[in-house]
Amino acid sequence: MDSLQSQCIFILQEAWKLSGNEPKVEPGWCAELRGIINHKSVYSGGLGSHCVHRMRLVWKSLDKMRCLRKRATIPFLGFLITFLLFLNLYMEDGYVLEGNKRQLREASAHPPSSERYVHTFRDLSNFSGTINVTYRYLAGTPLNRKKYLTIGLASVKRKRGNYLLETIKSIFDQSSYEELKEIVVVVHLADFDLVWCENQVQEITRKFAHHIIAGRLLVIQAPEEYYPSLDGLKRNYNDPEDRVRFRSKQNVDYAFLLNFCTNLSHFYMMLEDDVRCSRNFLTALKKVITSREGTYWVMLEFSKLGYIGKLYHSRDLPRLAHFLLMFYQEMPCDWLLIHFRGLLAQKDVIRFKPSLFQHMGYYSSYKGAENKLKDDDFEEDSIDIPDNPPASLYTNINVFENYDATKAYSTVDEYFWGKPPSTGDFFVIVFNKPIKISKIRIATGSDDRQNDLLHHGVLEVGEKLVGTKKGKQCSSFITLGEFKKGKIEVQDVDHKIAFDIECVRIVVTGNQKEWLIIRSISLWTTQPPSQ
């Protein structure tokens, strides 16, 4: 703006030189001209500079037109400047008017109910921050201390059957007193029927009062006014309108639940409201999480059904909540979570067996339809999940495709697969720190490739870790036993071995023509030695 104004002043000065004396201009006219020059739309684009260029051309012409009287120059100049600036204003207003029309056309493409999106999407540009929702606390209040695990449930009124109370009871009954100290259960009553919600709160409070008082159970609700429009939604996959409305609202229910739970704990587990838990499931979860230290993961699965038993880092909850809200009308939540995992660069499913959670509802929350889905990998007593402490794995066996060594050490349903091994080949596990092991169980071969097992081999444990060109390796080993029919299990290892173990090694003791599958390596540890 200052540049244009200085150029106009320069032109006036040049005009005064042509006239031979400075004009006597009325103060009111100066103020009017200054107001025109300072008008913001004059400087909003290239039109202002274009006007200056044209004014300079005019003054060059005036310089050549000696026939004009000098006293007529300044009034003509004022008129010309005023005319050009008003012309510029008119053209600018035309562009502004066209822009307003364009905005109106764009706004008309959105449904009139878009104002309801304000609460939900206001902070969408900040995917790491929580969504601004004022929740209703129906029972309990959050504690100041972060816990290890939050378990989230969203529940609505069902036409047939109600399993919420049984689900909450299963969570608490299947946990030890020590485990209960590390969990908090958050129930989102996501139905807009306030009478039903009130009845549920009364039942929950009556049956689980001591858990509410201890801060282990919270019941919340996100008010209806925070929900986006649930009418006129896209009918993807040819779903009927009521089905689209149901699954779209469910996505928003879960998004608000995730958003609330962001800062309550280090990890978050999503369950549905019709689930039965295995005994001491938290201890099993901790073992798996510990075994995954140093590896990247977004979602670990402890059930193969729906949105049951899906574990996240709490730090990812804001992004997942935003993601569900962005695509709430596109597809069901259990499909969206697959896309979310992939977008955060976890390509493969990481699912653990046995499953820790079982679907127990017989009637669906959608229209009360029958839902007999069961997880056949569920075990009521699954506490015997191995510890598998953090370690690095090495082998000199020729690996087939991506069936690498780490897959044998994971409790996920996957395995190591190598080409035919020879005498002296090895498969070694090097722990991040020395440990005491109580039990080792290793299985080779698979149901569909029963002959791809280790026909001749021994199991060893080692100490005295040293660095080699191929990585770290133990320099001293003791043999624990031989493989029989491709399997080995050794109990009470800590009673047989005096030192803290730094390596576990499988050694091939005979050539074989068959390929080798190591299906699972399971290690159970004792308490670490006192320092």
Side-chain angles (χ1 to χ4, degrees), residues 179-250:
E179 289 171 330
L180 288 176
K181 293 178 181 179
E182 295 300 322
I183 66 174
V184 56
V185 179
V186 179
V187 178
H188 178 205
L189 294 182
D191 202 284
F192 300 145
D193 184 337
L194 298 184
V195 174
W196 176 85
C197 290
E198 183 179 346
N199 291 335
Q200 288 298 303
V201 172
Q202 289 178 358
E203 284 292 306
I204 292 171
T205 303
R206 183 173 62 84
K207 292 191 174 186
F208 306 105
H210 61 294
H211 292 297
I212 294 173
I213 294 171
R216 289 191 289 267
L217 177 60
L218 304 174
V219 184
I220 63 165
Q221 185 180 55
E224 184 177 2
E225 58 264 26
Y226 287 92
Y227 278 70
S229 175
L230 297 172
D231 297 319
L233 302 176
K234 295 167 63 177
R235 291 183 57 188
N236 294 342
Y237 316 109
N238 245 359
D239 281 349
E241 288 186 13
D242 58 345
R243 173 66 182 175
V244 173
R245 179 185 176 91
F246 171 82
R247 61 173 171 78
S248 299
K249 179 182 176 296
Q250 188 177 53

